[in-house]
Amino acid sequence: MKWTLSQLQKYRNKEFLIDEIVRFDELMQDDSNIRDVSPMHITGRVDIDPSKVTFHLKINGYLILPCSRTLVDVKFPINVETTETFLLQDTVYETDEEAHQVKGDVIDLKPVIREILLLEVPMQVFCDDDVVSEDAAPQSGKDWEVIHEESESGKIDPRLAGLAKFFDKNHSSSES
């Protein structure tokens, strides 16, 4: 995922396609929540101009993250499309996208892709409710259990049951 500018200039008027599988094991040191990283399949094409190099990339793979509720491993799919532009000269380039300045004569995509992958890590991820594992955090104990919002949505707090009757009386008197 590293090219010199002279290597890229050879493809200026030709089609330059990318199809590589790259490991990003260093993501586990960058974010302690990431338990494992699959090899990422990176595909795309490169547009080479005299003043800039633009990479149109698709990144596919998955991360293993802990479930926020049970701490069980969850396979979180990564499917990202991105466009990364590298400026070859110190020129002003106006676009909605962020542009990277080339330092030296080498373009290295790996740090840019690593940053994109770190931004894809969600704050919380949840496993399926039917997954039961010995490694999972307990879901009930003595005098407590984890409740789900769906099971509590239809229940009326008994302290407020009288208030519902008040509105029924008020509504019927306004109709007459």
Side-chain angles (χ1 to χ4, degrees), residues 104-146:
D105 65 340
V106 176
I107 293 178
D108 188 6
L109 271 181
K110 199 164 182 179
V112 174
I113 295 172
R114 191 170 104 222
E115 183 179 325
I116 291 167
L117 292 174
L118 285 172
L119 290 172
E120 287 296 310
V121 176
M123 296 286 282
Q124 294 181 329
V125 70
F126 295 105
C127 62
D128 296 329
D129 288 334
D130 56 352
V131 174
V132 178
S133 171
E134 292 177 10
D135 300 332
Q139 297 298 298
S140 63
K142 184 178 181 197
D143 299 330
W144 71 274
E145 71 175 298
V146 175

Side-chain angles (χ1 to χ4, degrees), residues 7-171:
Q7 285 175 322
L8 291 172
Q9 292 300 336
K10 292 177 186 175
Y11 292 99
R12 183 180 290 177
N13 295 324
K14 299 176 187 170
E15 186 175 54
F16 182 27
L17 299 177
I18 296 174
D19 188 0
E20 293 189 32
I21 295 179
V22 182
R23 299 268 329 160
F24 287 93
D25 293 330
E26 63 273 6
L27 286 175
M28 292 183 285
Q29 284 83 34
D30 294 338
D31 188 341
S32 60
N33 283 331
I34 300 174
R35 294 182 176 173
D36 196 13
V37 180
S38 75
M40 296 292 164
H41 185 208
I42 301 169
T43 57
R45 66 180 169 82
V46 183
D47 297 331
I48 303 165
D49 294 336
S51 62
K52 67 183 186 319
V53 178
T54 306
F55 293 87
H56 305 278
L57 303 172
K58 290 182 183 178
I59 306 166
N60 292 306
Y62 63 88
L63 302 174
I64 301 294
L65 302 170
C67 172
S68 295
R69 192 178 311 126
T70 63
L71 301 178
V72 173
D73 287 350
V74 176
K75 192 176 188 179
F76 182 76
I78 299 291
N79 187 7
V80 179
E81 291 188 30
T82 184
T83 301
E84 300 296 326
T85 302
F86 288 83
L87 301 178
L88 302 179
Q89 293 133 6
D90 293 332
T91 58
V92 177
Y93 178 69
E94 295 187 24
T95 183
D96 295 337
E97 299 154 8
E98 180 182 332
H100 308 278
Q101 193 68 44
V102 176
K103 295 180 176 85
D105 65 340
V106 176
I107 293 178
D108 188 6
L109 271 181
K110 199 164 182 179
V112 174
I113 295 172
R114 191 170 104 222
E115 183 179 325
I116 291 167
L117 292 174
L118 285 172
L119 290 172
E120 287 296 310
V121 176
M123 296 286 282
Q124 294 181 329
V125 70
F126 295 105
C127 62
D128 296 329
D129 288 334
D130 56 352
V131 174
V132 178
S133 171
E134 292 177 10
D135 300 332
Q139 297 298 298
S140 63
K142 184 178 181 197
D143 299 330
W144 71 274
E145 71 175 298
V146 175
I147 58 173
H148 299 282
E149 189 174 333
E150 300 86 32
S151 64
E152 294 295 311
S153 63
K155 293 183 181 177
I156 297 176
D157 189 340
R159 298 170 292 179
L160 301 175
L163 188 59
K165 294 175 189 172
F166 172 76
F167 284 117
D168 287 340
K169 287 183 213 174
N170 197 10
H171 182 65

